[in-house]
């Protein structure tokens, strides 16, 4: 008797968690166009992360909008994912404008990857595409 191969299970191994759509930039090409965004309570976010872990998630990437607009929430989620959920990888995607030494000193040990978006090293190009205000 031949046995039919089972379908691979669908489990969310790696998750991009866009916990905010808000951003401090106005890049013309970005799909996140919201100027406001609902943010769930920290308890609800932790519950969702725990459910994802139970479903098979091993890696989390916090994205937005700009996640560093909410540094306290972001820091608590990063720490929770590393220290409590013991995920294999915790990463953040940011435009880099709100990252602080204080945040990194407090939470950096729990971040595996910090991806900083860079569209151009030419400031006039960044201004033209909305990535910068010339500062």
């Amino acid at each position: 008797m031949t046995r039919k191969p089972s379908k691979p299970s669908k489990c969310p191994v790696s998750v991009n968690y866009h916990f905010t759509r808000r951003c401090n930039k106005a890049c013309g090409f970005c799909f996140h166009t919201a100027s406001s965004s609902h943010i769930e309570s920290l308890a609800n976010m932790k519950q969702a992360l725990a459910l994802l872990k139970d479903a098979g998630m091993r890696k989390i990437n916090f994205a937005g909008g700009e996640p560093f607009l909410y540094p306290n929430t972001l820091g608590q989620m990063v720490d929770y994912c590393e220290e409590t959920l013991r995920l294999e990888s915790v990463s953040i995607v940011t435009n880099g404008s709100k990252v602080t030494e204080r945040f990194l000193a407090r939470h950096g040990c729990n971040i595996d990857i910090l991806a900083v978006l860079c569209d151009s090293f030419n400031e006039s190009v960044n201004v033209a595409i909305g990535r910068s205000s010339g500062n």
Side-chain angles (χ1 to χ4, degrees):
M1 178 172 162
T2 59
R3 193 169 164 185
K4 190 176 180 181
S6 62
K7 285 185 175 180
S9 67
K10 292 184 179 186
C11 70
V13 174
S14 182
V15 173
N16 283 326
Y17 191 165
H18 296 257
F19 73 94
T20 181
R21 287 180 43 108
R22 235 181 108 222
C23 186
N24 59 323
K25 300 295 181 184
C27 305
F29 52 82
C30 187
F31 63 93
H32 280 291
T33 58
S35 59
S36 64
S37 177
H38 170 75
I39 302 292
E40 275 296 327
S41 70
L42 186 60
N44 283 350
M45 287 192 272
K46 284 182 176 181
Q47 181 181 18
L49 290 166
L51 288 170
L52 286 165
K53 164 77 189 258
D54 291 344
M57 176 182 69
R58 298 192 322 254
K59 301 174 183 179
I60 187 80
N61 177 54
F62 293 106
E66 175 49 51
F68 279 94
L69 289 175
Y70 303 94
N72 294 332
T73 300
L74 178 61
Q76 289 181 65
M77 288 193 299
V78 162
D79 294 345
Y80 177 74
C81 286
E82 179 67 27
E83 297 169 2
T84 302
L85 297 181
R86 310 299 258 172
L87 296 181
E88 289 176 17
S89 177
V90 177
S91 61
I92 304 170
V93 174
T94 175
N95 63 33
S97 65
K98 297 288 186 183
V99 181
T100 64
E101 286 184 38
R102 181 178 181 212
F103 182 92
L104 294 176
R106 187 165 182 194
H107 306 287
C109 61
N110 288 330
I111 301 168
D112 296 296
I113 300 167
L114 180 63
V116 179
L117 304 170
C118 179
D119 297 298
S120 176
F121 289 108
N122 183 327
E123 186 64 5
S124 63
V125 172
N126 287 323
V127 170
I129 64 174
R131 179 68 79 184
S132 179
S133 55
N135 56 3

